[in-house]
Amino acid sequence: MPIAHRIPKLSRFTGLGILVVVVIVPVVLVGIVVWSKIRARLDPPPAIQHAAATEVTGYDTLATSTANLDRLVVSKIFIGPVVDRPQDRIVAPGATFREIGRPSSPGSEWLVHGNYPDNCYVSVDRVIGSDALSAIAELSDTQRDNVARGESLLLSMEFACGEG
């Protein structure tokens, strides 16, 4: 068969290839992105589920945030009244806590560490000093002053999964 007869057949396949690249591939990619967003809302990662289920009796949730460090880390900040053992007010379904009670970073005290059965954990700090207080942008000036004067107590929790 001469080459002149093959060219029309090749041009049909080339046109089909361009159609696939220009139309179908972007539609598939958009579909994958949309599905991943929907799935993340319907079935959030375990660290987010644990953070959402955790409360501190008598305290208000000040902020919840996420960061992707070497893994997903969810931070949750609570503010409430000054009590001797704020860790006794933590309601974290499935977590088993152990007392730590030592400084963790300048301006904070590591109160407890909790483990979940699914290889996730929560670390709870009491924020007491100006270094740690200044790092919490969600605090109002009044709240920051109340914590600094010892009139309110601030708890910082970090949730993550895996080794850590």
Side-chain angles (χ1 to χ4, degrees), residues 5 22 24 27 34 44-45 63 87 94-95 97 118 129 134 141 147 153 158:
H5 293 299
V22 172
I24 296 175
V27 168
V34 168
Q87 60 267 40
F97 287 101
D118 60 356
S134 62
D141 291 338
V147 173
L153 194 131
E158 289 190 350

Side-chain angles (χ1 to χ4, degrees), residues 32 37 42 44-45 60 75 80 91 103 110 120-121 126 131-132 146:
I32 290 170
K37 300 246 183 223
L42 295 176
D60 295 322
S75 299
V91 178
W110 190 8
C120 295
Y121 61 90
R126 176 182 175 180
D131 290 345
N146 288 345

